[in-house]
Structure formats: C-alpha cells, structure tokens
Amino acid sequence: MNLINFDKVSFAYNGNIILDEINFSINQGDFIYIVGENGSGKTTFLRGLLGLKKVNSGEIIYSKDLNKNQIGYIPQQKDIKADFPANVMEIVLSGRLNYKKGFFYSSKDKSIAEYNLKKLDILSLRNKPYKYLSGGQQQRVLIARALCATEKLLILDEPDTGLDPEARQELYVLLKHLNEKENITILMVTHDIKQEMINTGKIYRVADGKIAIENDKGDEND
Amino acid sequence: MINTIIEMLSYPFLQRAILVGLMVSVCASLLGVTLVLKRYSMIGDGLSHVAFGAMAIAVVYQLNPMLVALPLLIIVAFSLLRLSENSNIKGDAVIGLISVSSLAFGVLIISIKKGVNTDIYNYMFGSILSMNQSDVYLSIALSLVVLFLYFKYYDEIFSVTFDENFAKATGVNVGLYNGLIASLTAITIVLGMRMMGSMLISSLIIFPALTSMRIFSTFKTVIISSVIVSIVSFLIGIILSYLYSLPSGATIVTVNLILFIIFSIIGYIKK
C-alpha cells in the first residue's frame, strides 16, 4: 500500500533548484535509506517530506490512511538543545499532543507512553533528565516519542551520528525489529552507506538534484 | 520583619504595588523558561525598550500608558518573532536596532514636549508609586489571562519549546503557539514596565529561569522553581527597598542576581 508519493516534485531555495522533478514513493512496510553528500539536497528532501518546506512544483500525495499527524519524526541529536531541562516522560508524552483532549494528558496517553518506553527497553529511565542520558538512550527516547505520535511511519535524520559502534548496532537491530515485527515503515536519511544497511532495505541516493535507487532488496531474493 | 510587612501593607500604594508585583513576577518567570530555552531572550529585551517608547507617547499625549503599550507591544512581538525565524536577516542585530531606536525616540519626544524630567528616570528604572486603582484592576485581569492561557496550553508550549520541527511534522500549529508565547510576553512586559522600569523588566523574565536551570533538570521542576525564585526575589527586593529607601526595580534585580550566584554554586557542588 502506497503511503506517500512524490509526483515530479521540485524544491528550490532563492530560485536555485535543489531537487528537480523527482518521483519517489514510500509503501507500507518499506525500509528506506536516503544517502547523499552534504549539500546534495537530502536535507531539503527530508524537510519537504515532513512538510517543513513547500514544493516549488509538482505534488506530494499523502495516502488517505496516513493522516498528516501520523509522521513520526526523529531529529538529529544536535537539533535538541543539549542543556534542555526535561525528563524522559515529559518528552515521550509530548508525542501524544495531537491526541490530547482537555487540559491534561489522559491516563490512556500516559499508558501509551509507558508502553512505548517498555518497547524500547527504557521504562526504568522514565524520570531521568534527558541531558544526563547517553547518546543511544537519548535516541531511544526520541523514537519512543515518535511511536507515541504514529504507528505507521518513522522518519529518522542521521540517527547514527555520534553513536558508538555498539549503540549504532543496537539501533539498526531495533529499527529492523520495529519494521519486521510491528510493520512500521521506516525511512532513514544518512550520510553514507554502512555495512548494516546493505541487506535490510532499499537504498536511494540523492545527487545532482535527482534521487535514484542504488539497490533493491526485493530484486536480490535474499 | 513581620512588623515591617504589616507597616508596608498599611499604605494603599504599597498594597497595590505588592499585589501587582507578585502577579507580574509569576507571569514573567513562567514565560521566561520558554523564552530562555527557545533562545528568544532578546525578544523580551527588545519589547521592554519598545515599551519605553510607548510610555513616552502616552505621557506626552496624556493617555493611559498600559492601553497605549499593549496593542503596540503585541504588534512588535509578532514582528520580532518573524525576524528571529527568518534566517536571511540578522534577527538579533535588527532587534538591537529596534531597541535603541525606541529608546531614543522616547527620550526625544518627552524632552521636546515636556522637558527632561523625572518621568524619563521613572520609566527607565521604575517606580512603585505609579499604579492607581484602575491600573490594578486592569493588571490583575491581564495577569489572569496570561496565567490561564499558559496553563491551558502548557503541553503545547512544552512541545514547541523542546522540538519545533517534531511538533510541525506531527501537524501542531507551531506558528500559533509561538504567537501565543510572544503575545503573553508582550502582556507581561506591559504589566511590569512601570514598576520595574523598561531597562530592568526583562531581568524579571530571564533571571528566574536561568537561576532554576542551575539546579533543576526537568521542565516541571524548573517551572516551579522559577515561580518561587521570582516571588522570593520580588518580596525581599520590595522590603529592602522600603527599609532603605532604595529604588525597587534595581533592588529586585540585585536580589535575583544574588540568588543566581547561590544557585550556581549549589549546582556546581552537586555536579
């Protein structure tokens, strides 16, 4: 099932075309990597996908089954202010904002937050301040928040930056698990192709204003 | 100590000053946490200078300063928000320009129309004698509006403060809540501008939040601590200013500074 479709979409900054009439689609259950050099336009692509940047021409079509508020975004670690005072529960609950009715989060919101903390194996950190967590733990908090907002699609921006090899390995295992066992569609933007990525999903490369597939897991019969 | 407070409360002008001062302290400390974390402190500072210009217009044309400043500051707050969101323009530099221009304009207009007088000093550094009964009613009504909206949209404000892009990507109307934060800040500055003075009012916004973040590390505890720090600074400041005939605004800022130093030391030791 098709979730999001880019139909001849172009993006530009100050009149300079960054991405030129690209076609691209995300299907339910996909595991997609978007790779590209700095300045290739992969960040623009991501901002467009998230609705943070308007298209210049063409159209991004969202499936009827995917509400605009069902895109779970996991920003780069550096986009979160390192000294921000907040504990894990405060952050994860903020993923439920669109479901909140009335003054406070309901007990249902809280139990969904706890359910996702448990799923990511960080329930014991629920009252810990975010700034005292390790990079890998912070990552899990942001994934838990995103899962509170959606059960359909996670979009991660360079999630492996700044993680040690062990934490990076765990992240890939976790994402693979969410994709295969929970049928969550995953799209990850990353700087370069890493070993872990080769047999797990479709790899697209952004370069020269275009986006093109580099491998297709489905074609290789593995 | 108790006797001093009872004595102070026997003066109607001090009753009014303390009541309004407490309300302003609470509003300013709540918004301060968000403004400091969003790196919007400059907006509070810019608005307070524009408030001086507004008060100058009001005194020259004999209008109510709060009623002149309120709409003007809300408009300016939205413009400053736009500036700081637009990465093409050096937002902080433009805010600096607006600040000094408002200040210069205010001083000039008062000097030309009335001659240099104590008004300028009072508007810059504050006076607790400035409130009449109708100002008090208006101040309390506006404070209640700020408090109600802040707590009604507490979770939304947290969300856009912590991670604007996530909020936007999940369909939260980020522009609306940024506008709300800017408007509430404008109202708070209007409330506090005459008592604290336009040069000192932004300290009421910035200090309690910074002080609390030296020790506390969750959003809720920082909020609670900021409110307490702000109230304590105000009360100690106003009592000291009464006892030793000190200017109230400057005394309150100094108490805030001392608390900041104490919290920094405790925070350093805790580490």
Side-chain angles (χ1 to χ4, degrees), chain A residues 4-106:
Chain A
I4 298 179
N5 221 343
F6 279 54
D7 184 23
K8 289 187 176 172
V9 173
S10 299
F11 292 106
Y13 277 102
N14 300 325
N16 296 321
I17 301 285
I18 307 291
L19 291 171
D20 191 16
E21 297 198 348
I22 56 171
N23 293 307
F24 175 77
S25 60
I26 303 174
N27 294 311
Q28 176 73 43
D30 273 354
F31 199 131
I32 296 172
Y33 297 97
I34 307 283
V35 297
E37 301 294 315
N38 287 332
S40 62
K42 67 178 193 293
T43 305
T44 305
F45 172 79
L46 179 70
R47 291 181 62 80
L49 181 58
L50 294 170
L52 304 177
K53 167 112 185 106
K54 287 205 173 72
V55 300
N56 237 45
S57 64
E59 196 184 356
I60 303 176
I61 303 148
Y62 295 87
S63 135
K64 278 199 283 298
D65 299 312
L66 183 78
N67 287 324
K68 187 66 195 68
N69 62 8
Q70 285 182 315
I71 297 179
Y73 171 52
I74 294 128
Q76 290 190 39
Q77 302 278 83
K78 69 172 171 59
D79 292 340
I80 306 283
K81 295 141 198 138
D83 60 346
F84 198 99
N87 69 16
V88 169
M89 198 59 182
E90 286 177 317
I91 294 168
V92 173
L93 259 181
S94 74
R96 295 292 302 168
L97 190 61
N98 281 319
Y99 303 88
K100 195 185 83 158
K101 295 182 179 69
F103 257 68
F104 303 107
Y105 288 115
S106 66

Side-chain angles (χ1 to χ4, degrees), chain B residues 190-210:
Chain B
V190 170
L191 290 173
M193 64 188 183
R194 278 181 301 164
M195 186 179 311
M196 290 298 292
S198 49
M199 297 294 100
L200 301 175
I201 175 70
S202 60
S203 67
L204 225 55
I205 289 175
I206 298 167
F207 258 123
L210 278 182

Side-chain angles (χ1 to χ4, degrees), chain A residues 182-201:
Chain A
E182 315 255 343
N183 197 27
I184 294 171
T185 309
I186 291 181
L187 181 142
M188 182 197 290
V189 173
T190 174
H191 187 68
D192 45 18
I193 298 175
K194 292 176 190 74
Q195 197 54 44
E196 293 93 335
M197 292 158 52
I198 305 291
N199 288 319
T200 48

Side-chain angles (χ1 to χ4, degrees), chain B residues 175-186:
Chain B
L176 177 73
Y177 295 111
N178 279 339
L180 175 73
I181 293 165
S183 312
L184 297 183
T185 307

Side-chain angles (χ1 to χ4, degrees), chain B residues 166-180:
Chain B
F166 176 85
K168 229 183 255 176
T170 49
V172 175
N173 191 342
V174 170
L176 177 73
Y177 295 111
N178 279 339
L180 175 73

Side-chain angles (χ1 to χ4, degrees), chain A residues 84-85, chain B residues 28-39 150 161 205-206 208-210 212-213 219 222-224 226-227:
Chain A
F84 198 99
Chain B
S29 59
L30 289 173
L31 286 161
V33 175
T34 300
L35 293 179
V36 167
L37 286 169
K38 281 180 89 71
R39 312 290 189 255
Y150 189 90
T161 307
I205 289 175
I206 298 167
L210 278 182
S212 303
M213 280 180 230
F219 199 70
V222 167
I223 293 269
I224 294 168
S226 296
V227 170

Side-chain angles (χ1 to χ4, degrees), chain B residues 15 32 71 78 88 103 113 238 242 254 263-264:
Chain B
Q15 284 173 8
F78 274 93
N88 287 334
L103 197 58
K113 295 279 185 179
I238 203 107
Y242 173 78
T254 309
F263 272 57
S264 300

